[in-house]
Amino acid sequence: MAFPETRLRRLRQTPGIRRMVRETTLSVDDVILPFFVREGISQPHPIASLEGHAQWPARAVVEEAKAVADLGIPAVLLFGVPDRKDAVASSAYAADAVVCRAVEGIKQARPELTVVTDVCLCAYTDHGHCGVVRQGPRGAPIVDNDSSLELIVKQAVAHARAGADVVAPSDMMDGRVGAIRTGLDHAGLTDVAIMAYSAKHASAFYGPFRDAAGSAPQFGDRTAYQMDPANGREALREIELDVEEGADIVMVKPALAYLDVIRMAAETFAVPLAAYNVSGEYAMVKAAAARGWVDEKRAAMEILTAIRRAGAKLIITYWAKDVVRWLSAR
Ligand code: PBG
């Protein structure tokens, strides 16, 4: 039956009916809030490129995490901003690493808040790359895969020993998930889960984050390890390998320009799927909203709902606290 008998507008007539037939929902249970913990500061430093976010001293982040837990947000994702950087990212896996201190404080104050830590060397290396740099066969420096793994495993184990519930490797080295799983298991940390940044693309949308974490590469770019934004089928291979290596949760990143990849991943794999609504996606809306060009709440909820509609269960988003407020105001 077609028009005029069929009228799809019938089910759009009232808020009640629209609610009943709504196909996708966004819940506070779906969001993870990123946090930046900075060594050597005593007051929070607001991040200009990520309005509403700050670099927190390890002590203050505990207070902030309590507030987040009280809002009902299930998890935070911690990034460290160290004082000292060197060629081998020493501050990434030191027992007193800034992330470890924050994890300890948060888990003590709010054991029920799930603490996820970003595992990557880029904020800790003086060259800003996600692994160890050495001279390549063609004379130019390269990021060495296998020697990076060792350091990444040390970092993941340090975070887990400090009490992290989940470690999230974002470096895109081959074999890191398997190496981390083995490292954790050998350390007796068999219950610590791995959320792998499996399909992480070399994206322009990480710009504001690199200001926040001080992690911009000092030469070249990340295209020799992060994925080509043009590739979706390869994303499935990355995810497949991570699942085989023991990833408990897999991720597609960024989210907004990669909804097709999220959809394919959701249809192909049964592991829980996360998507990272990255800094540039947030900053774009914030900048347009500041000029009155879009309504922030509507734009953000539309984006986050679309990421859920594409098939992601979890969304890492800088809007996590706003989402709680917006959902309760409905
Ligand atoms: C570290 C890392 C990055 C992000 C998460 N982990 C930056 C990068 O790869 O350069 C980006 C997050 C965001 O933009 O919000 N490797």
Side-chain angles (χ1 to χ4, degrees), residues 36 45-55 205-214 278-287 318:
F36 299 90
H45 288 196
I47 303 163
S49 57
L50 275 179
E51 210 192 306
H53 289 265
Q55 297 174 326
F205 293 103
Y206 306 152
F209 172 93
R210 289 179 189 173
D211 274 354
V278 300
S279 58
E281 301 172 27
Y282 174 83
M284 268 191 316
V285 173
K286 281 281 188 190
Y318 300 95

Side-chain angles (χ1 to χ4, degrees), residues 118 120 122 170 200 206 209-210 222 226 253 279 318:
D118 185 86
C120 189
C122 61
S170 67
K200 177 174 177 180
Y206 306 152
F209 172 93
R210 289 179 189 173
R222 304 207 202 288
Q226 296 181 350
K253 178 182 172 191
S279 58
Y318 300 95

Side-chain angles (χ1 to χ4, degrees), residues 18-303:
R18 290 197 292 271
R19 236 174 87 199
M20 287 165 65
V21 300
R22 186 160 296 139
E23 297 174 30
T24 309
T25 57
L26 177 68
S27 147
V28 58
D29 298 337
D30 305 327
V31 297
I32 300 175
L33 177 67
F35 256 167
F36 299 90
V37 200
R38 178 161 170 189
E39 199 173 5
I41 57 172
S42 51
Q43 294 298 320
H45 288 196
I47 303 163
S49 57
L50 275 179
E51 210 192 306
H53 289 265
Q55 297 174 326
W56 297 91
R59 205 163 308 138
V61 83
V62 175
E63 288 313 305
E64 199 37 37
K66 283 185 190 169
V68 168
D70 290 344
L71 283 172
I73 292 173
V76 291
L77 170 60
L78 296 185
F79 293 92
V81 187
D83 249 357
R84 287 168 300 107
K85 298 175 190 257
D86 61 26
V88 291
S90 310
S91 340
Y93 40 84
D96 66 342
V98 64
V99 168
C100 295
R101 295 217 314 275
V103 172
E104 284 160 3
I106 294 171
K107 289 310 284 189
Q108 200 168 7
R110 279 287 189 279
E112 78 280 11
L113 182 66
T114 297
V115 176
V116 188
T117 61
D118 185 86
V119 172
C120 189
L121 305 181
C122 61
Y124 304 88
T125 51
D126 47 15
H127 46 69
H129 278 287
C130 304
V132 176
V133 169
R134 68 169 169 82
Q135 203 63 23
R138 286 183 285 277
I142 59 160
V143 174
D144 185 62
N145 194 87
D146 298 13
S147 58
S148 301
L149 292 183
E150 208 178 303
L151 305 185
I152 287 160
V153 171
K154 276 164 79 169
Q155 185 185 19
V157 170
H159 291 175
R161 282 213 173 102
D165 301 283
V166 183
V167 292
S170 67
D171 51 280
M172 288 304 280
M173 298 302 124
D174 284 323
R176 76 251 160 91
V177 172
I180 290 172
R181 186 69 270 158
T182 304
L184 291 173
D185 290 355
H186 282 170
L189 298 158
T190 51
D191 287 339
V192 174
I194 300 174
M195 176 169 78
Y197 286 74
S198 303
K200 177 174 177 180
H201 296 80
S203 171
F205 293 103
Y206 306 152
F209 172 93
R210 289 179 189 173
D211 274 354
S215 63
Q218 299 303 301
F219 63 87
D221 57 32
R222 304 207 202 288
T223 49
Y225 43 104
Q226 296 181 350
M227 285 184 55
D228 187 332
N231 294 358
R233 288 157 56 80
E234 185 188 1
L236 297 182
R237 295 190 70 199
E238 282 284 2
I239 295 170
E240 184 176 19
L241 288 169
D242 283 359
V243 171
E244 275 173 23
E245 289 177 31
D248 300 282
I249 300 173
V250 295
M251 192 200 299
V252 172
K253 178 182 172 191
L256 192 48
Y258 299 81
L259 295 176
D260 57 324
V261 180
I262 294 173
R263 165 53 65 94
M264 284 196 294
E267 285 176 353
T268 311
F269 302 98
V271 285
L273 178 64
Y276 202 137
N277 174 220
V278 300
S279 58
E281 301 172 27
Y282 174 83
M284 268 191 316
V285 173
K286 281 281 188 190
R291 297 178 163 205
W293 291 351
V294 296
D295 177 86
E296 183 187 359
K297 171 183 170 178
R298 287 188 55 207
M301 289 300 273
E302 185 172 333
I303 289 170

